[in-house]
Structures are given as C-alpha cells and as structure tokens.
Amino acid sequence: MKKLFILLSLFTCFDAIQANAQNIINGIGKLKLDSPPSILTEIGYDLDKAIKVNSMEEYHGKVYRNYTGHSLYQLFPDEKRKYGITDASYHPSVKVFYIPKYEPVEGLVCSGLTLKFFNDSLYFIETYNPSELEDAFALKYGKPQVNLEEKDKQYTTRYGTKVTKTDQTFKMTYETGNPQTTCIATILIWYNNKGEKSTLYYLVIDTPKISEFVKDYDEKKRNEAEEKREKDKLKTLDNL
C-alpha cells in the first residue's frame, strides 16, 4: 500500500509538464536537462561548499557508493592515472557533480546521482539502484523496452570441476518523447575469474550527442596525459 501511495504521489506531484508534452522524459523532479548548476541550490545543496575530488583515493573514500549524508562533490580527473575517476572530464566547459541522494517527491529517494553540465547546462543524470524510480517511470510514461544480452564463461573450481557462468546485461529503454534524449536503465550481472558474482544497477537520462562529444574529447586528453606521464617517467631514467 505504501509503495502504491508513493507511485500515485509521483504520478500526480512530479513537476508540471505541459499537457501536450506529458510523455516527455527530461529529468527527475527539479533536475531537468538543460538546467543550470544553480538547480543544485534549489534542491538543497550549496555550490559554494562543493568538495573537490581529484584522486581515486578521495573518490573511493568520499564518493564511491556513498548514498548517505548531504555533501556536494565536484569531480575532476585524477592526473596521476589514465583511467581514474571515470565520470570526471578534462573538457573545460564540463562540470561534474555528485550528490548522495535526492528526493524528487516524498517517499521516493534517488541514490548516488552524478550530474554533468556542459556550458552550465545539465546534459547527463545518473542514479543507482533505481527500482522505485523505474516503477514510477513505467506508471507515468509507460513500460520500457527490455533487451537482454548474455555471454557464457567457463571457470575451473579449485577442485578441478568445470563450471559455466553467464554474464547478463539487461537494458530497459524508455520512450522519452524527444529524439535528442535517452532514458535507459541497465542491470549488469557478471562473474570474475574466480566465478564470483557482481551486480550493478543504474539509470541514465542524457543527451547522447553531447555525451559522445565529451567522451571523445576525454579519451584524446587521457591519451595525451598518459604520453606525457610516460615521457616524464622516462626522463627520470636518463642516468640509469
């Protein structure tokens, strides 16, 4: 009954959208695509007190799977590693923030949100473990299209027994009503080389055109930074 109340509340209390655009998915609550960074202030986070995170040690200590508290984190690349804080960007026009939680309507809490802005315009929203949000989206916007990909892996146990495990990727794609916007929930289930299971569940609303542009830019900059690190390291070996 409580869950039904939450869903009905979301259906009726989500920020008003024009009647002729009722089926457009463009964000979560006040976190709408194209919003400026000041939207964080409106949902209770202080931009002036954002904690800067630019190393993997800080990221794992403060941000990774942190779904509690009310701190605002701004993410920057880890200059010491090629692949460090993957959500951070080298692009000068991109700002990346992380908030532990956000409650768009009473009773529905979104966990671990990464928010990316390009030219101070929100283009990427990611939240973890979004089962209740998915239920609400399905009720308001319609059920998603579900796609499943599987890949078998074979492992040898310590007793010499051959065991087959299946990695699975579930993708739930919602119709956003806007060809420039996607909304996809993903469940990843995979096994390591010991056959141990891991699961990751997240939902992303974004503008793919901008995301791809920034991704390509970051890959180029990461490669350039790695080449510089290698050259600097080589210089230290001149007298070896």
Side-chain angles (χ1 to χ4, degrees), residues 227-240:
E227 288 177 8
K228 184 179 184 303
R229 281 191 293 269
E230 289 296 321
K231 288 180 180 178
D232 290 344
K233 187 184 297 184
L234 190 58
K235 284 182 180 179
T236 65
L237 303 177
D238 284 347
N239 296 323
L240 183 64

Side-chain angles (χ1 to χ4, degrees), residues 13-30:
C13 297
F14 250 94
D15 286 354
I17 301 175
Q18 293 180 352
N20 61 354
Q22 185 62 38
N23 293 323
I24 292 178
I25 299 177
N26 65 342
I28 304 171
K30 290 185 176 181

